[in-house]
Amino acid sequence: MESAPKTILQSVCDTPLRSGTIGWMQTMIERKPLEQIEADALVVPVFEGQKETRFGAVDLADSGEISGKSLELTLLHHAPGVAARRVLLVGAGKPEKFDTAELRKLAGAALRHLKSKSVKRIALVLEPDHASAGYACAAVEGAILGDYEPDRYKTEDDKKSVESFAVVVPGGAASLNEAVDRGRILAEAQNFTRDLVNEPANRLTPAKVVEAARRMASEYGLECEVLERSQMEALGMNALLGVAQGSAEPPALIEIRYRPAQPGFKAHLGLVGKGVTFDTGGISIKPADGMEKMKYDMAGGAAMIGAMRAIAQLRPPLPVTAFIPCVENMPGSRAQRPGDIVSAMSGKTIEVINTDAEGRLILADALTYARRKGCTHLVDAATLTGAIVVALGHLNVGLFANDDAMRDRVLGAAKAEGERMWAMPLEDDYKDYLKSPFADLANVGGRAGGAVTAAIFLKQFAEETPWVHLDIAGTAWLDDCKPYQAKGPSGVPVRTLVRLAMEWKD
Ligand code: BES
Ligand code: ZN
Ligand code: ZN
């Protein structure tokens, strides 16, 4: 057992966690010849056009039963020549298209299928061509992510759990153990984010997000400081406070700090995440249909807390600070009204035309605060607009940037992590859409280009700091399950953010 579970997520609520959440399944490298592996199931990738498996017994080309198409599953019992009780052949697609993203999905699909059959010990075979740290890491990630279920509040006792997941690399190098640890850290951080996102708004108020952030920070040796309402008033964060004033739940601005052992790095990365624990729309109230999903309006903030959890363990070279403005957007009797004018921390005045465009208001002050705190580069993640779902569906995160180098860094990290992102336009001409006759800018434009006008609003608070905005409204929550992933919270873009920090060079 090379990497025993290190932590179990302390729930922000009282419900005990069971399998499917963090830290239960063992992960390891298995170095024995694969014939000798005594797993309950051996998972073997099969490529399109592959004529036979290592087990000879299956004539893939002729039977027509197995094509090798991506994620096709064939379970064999009592395969000849192996100690394992079952062999699961999993389609890996075309060999020239196979990469770590494909393996991550393959591992997740295999795990979910075998778990549904109550299989306990799984071993996934890596071909010699793929016996590298990157692939081993992706396999472990895929398994841990696939294991996640958003079913904490189901009380039936028939939940299944997998005990162990091994990556089989006969005679594999010692360095592969590190890859397994890295995969576990990343996937657990992502599942931690998913758990937070999945919490309903009666259980996860801004105060509870604070509790979860503080607990995570103290567990991993990070500093955590929280601004409360009176401090925000003193700082002039009226854009944020205006959103909070319609709710009985007090707002909070969480700051989580990671500092590398070696100081003196020039860059300081700021991660800013939208933490609206529930978005009713406020006085510009949303229709009832589908409103229950607005519990995931804090997914950007949860991603930053999850990313900091992994960053604390993997220790990148540069300082990283997360800022999470947390509010509940409610239409209480003190709620802000359409037409109200608020004065943001930066000094700009904003006419609040639509109280449902609240994310940009809280992010405006959080971005200003992050700049004042010395961040030289900023990334924000926010479930900001329905318009990004219209533009890109549920496949790609919408990426907006005021700096090409920063855009390319984030796109590069996203590609390496298999989190799809698409760069959107952000010319200053779009500023005209937000003109107000009464204030410096309005908080909404018309219906046209809704995701871009939201981003151009934020750009005016990022000012000159190199900045990337990630609109995750379409990707933070999946309504349909995938073979490798449960429905519900996705945990995007945790892995991209961690890689961005880890690969920072200057
Ligand atoms: N939280 C929503 C955006 C959203 C929509 C997230 C769908 C997840 C799924 C955001 O606060 C919002 O309400 N945006 C408005 C902006 C509009 C009033 C300009 C929207 O997109 O409709
Ligand atoms: Zn809204
Ligand atoms: Zn919102």
Side-chain angles (χ1 to χ4, degrees):
M1 232 49 86
E2 281 148 8
S3 67
K6 290 185 189 105
T7 55
I8 294 175
L9 171 69
Q10 291 287 307
S11 171
V12 288
C13 48
D14 299 329
T15 314
L17 292 175
R18 291 184 280 189
S19 73
T21 50
I22 296 171
W24 283 79
M25 189 172 62
Q26 309 277 314
T27 46
M28 65 205 88
I29 295 286
E30 178 59 86
R31 295 182 168 81
K32 280 192 223 157
L34 68 108
E35 302 76 26
Q36 294 173 20
I37 291 163
E38 288 175 23
D40 297 325
L42 204 58
V43 176
V44 180
V46 177
F47 292 92
E48 274 181 51
Q50 191 175 324
K51 295 286 181 227
E52 58 178 26
T53 66
R54 299 191 197 189
F55 310 102
V58 189
D59 188 337
L60 299 174
D62 297 341
S63 71
E65 197 181 317
I66 298 166
S67 69
K69 287 225 160 59
S70 184
L71 306 186
E72 176 191 71
L73 300 172
T74 311
L75 188 59
L76 310 175
H77 290 265
H78 310 296
V82 289
R85 292 173 57 189
R86 305 170 187 81
V87 169
L88 180 66
L89 302 174
V90 189
K94 295 198 167 58
E96 65 276 14
K97 289 209 169 146
F98 192 75
D99 58 9
T100 50
E102 199 58 43
L103 179 64
R104 194 179 288 108
K105 290 192 225 165
L106 186 154
L111 183 129
R112 291 180 70 75
H113 183 71
L114 293 168
K115 183 173 163 178
S116 76
K117 309 251 178 268
S118 301
V119 170
K120 298 284 180 202
R121 294 173 308 150
I122 300 174
L124 178 142
V125 178
L126 280 188
E127 292 297 317
D129 283 359
H130 305 130
S132 65
Y135 279 99
C137 177
V140 169
E141 284 168 14
I144 295 174
L145 296 170
D147 195 27
Y148 179 85
E149 291 296 338
D151 62 353
R152 175 184 300 180
Y153 294 108
K154 283 192 179 284
T155 56
E156 313 100 72
D157 232 359
D158 60 350
K159 292 180 191 176
K160 301 199 160 126
S161 62
V162 175
E163 281 166 15
S164 65
F165 179 86
V167 181
V168 182
V169 186
S175 61
L176 291 176
N177 292 356
E178 218 175 283
V180 170
D181 285 346
R182 189 185 149 82
R184 172 175 278 282
I185 288 168
L186 285 163
E188 286 187 353
Q190 194 170 336
N191 283 352
F192 175 88
T193 291
R194 294 164 89 184
D195 258 342
L196 279 176
V197 173
N198 195 45
E199 284 296 304
N202 61 329
R203 294 172 185 266
L204 194 82
T205 58
K208 289 288 187 182
V209 182
V210 169
E211 215 179 296
R214 280 199 200 282
R215 189 176 294 163
M216 183 285 288
S218 79
E219 198 174 337
Y220 292 99
L222 300 170
E223 288 169 40
C224 182
E225 209 177 290
V226 180
L227 296 185
E228 51 183 59
R229 196 195 304 263
S230 58
Q231 293 161 300
M232 293 190 244
E233 279 166 1
L235 287 162
M237 295 182 168
N238 300 308
L240 192 164
L241 290 166
V243 177
Q245 76 192 35
S247 169
E249 296 294 340
L253 177 53
I254 304 170
E255 179 178 345
I256 308 170
R257 291 191 284 263
Y258 160 79
R259 296 294 177 263
Q262 293 254 278
F265 212 87
K266 273 209 313 268
H268 176 177
L269 180 61
L271 303 176
V272 181
K274 173 176 173 181
V276 175
T277 57
F278 196 79
D279 183 10
T280 63
I283 296 300
S284 314
I285 199 158
K286 288 181 180 296
D289 198 24
M291 204 207 271
E292 72 284 353
K293 280 177 55 186
M294 282 303 116
K295 70 174 185 177
Y296 87 81
D297 214 18
M298 35 59 74
M304 297 321 182
I305 303 176
M308 293 307 284
R309 189 184 194 268
I311 282 170
Q313 296 170 80
L314 296 172
R315 305 207 62 87
L318 85 169
V320 185
T321 309
F323 299 88
I324 303 114
C326 295
V327 297
E328 188 183 51
N329 189 21
M330 296 287 275
S333 67
R334 295 199 162 274
Q336 70 180 345
R337 296 133 294 238
D340 282 5
I341 294 176
V342 293
S343 172
M345 183 184 175
S346 77
K348 283 201 159 65
T349 55
I350 304 166
E351 185 185 9
V352 180
I353 300 288
N354 190 318
T355 65
D356 196 12
E358 83 298 340
R360 61 197 77 179
L361 294 170
I362 66 168
L363 289 170
D365 281 342
L367 288 167
T368 303
Y369 189 64
R371 294 182 69 241
R372 296 256 177 106
K373 284 284 192 144
C375 294
T376 59
H377 295 76
L378 293 168
V379 181
D380 80 68
T383 46
L384 206 63
T385 66
I388 201 67
V389 191
V390 175
L392 299 176
H394 300 285
L395 275 179
N396 273 283
V397 172
L399 181 151
F400 301 82
N402 64 358
D403 178 272
D404 289 354
M406 189 65 184
R407 175 197 63 203
D408 292 344
R409 273 185 205 264
V410 177
L411 281 176
K415 187 155 179 40
E417 289 298 341
E419 293 187 318
R420 279 194 266 190
M421 300 193 182
W422 196 260
M424 303 283 287
L426 197 60
E427 291 100 335
D428 276 332
D429 307 276
Y430 283 106
K431 276 191 196 166
D432 291 349
Y433 288 57
L434 296 177
K435 276 198 173 140
S436 159
F438 313 114
D440 295 338
L441 73 169
N443 77 329
V444 297
R447 272 176 55 80
V452 191
T453 52
I456 203 79
F457 179 94
L458 295 180
K459 187 179 179 189
Q460 295 175 67
F461 295 89
E463 301 190 38
E464 303 312 316
T465 306
W467 154 83
V468 166
H469 157 58
L470 301 174
D471 193 335
I472 58 171
T475 44
W477 186 274
L478 299 180
D479 285 327
D480 303 308
C481 75
K482 302 247 170 69
Y484 51 88
Q485 190 181 332
K487 75 173 272 183
S490 69
V492 164
V494 168
R495 294 201 313 274
T496 297
L497 297 168
V498 179
R499 182 177 282 268
L500 176 71
M502 295 304 293
E503 292 191 340
W504 210 285
K505 293 284 182 300
D506 47 333

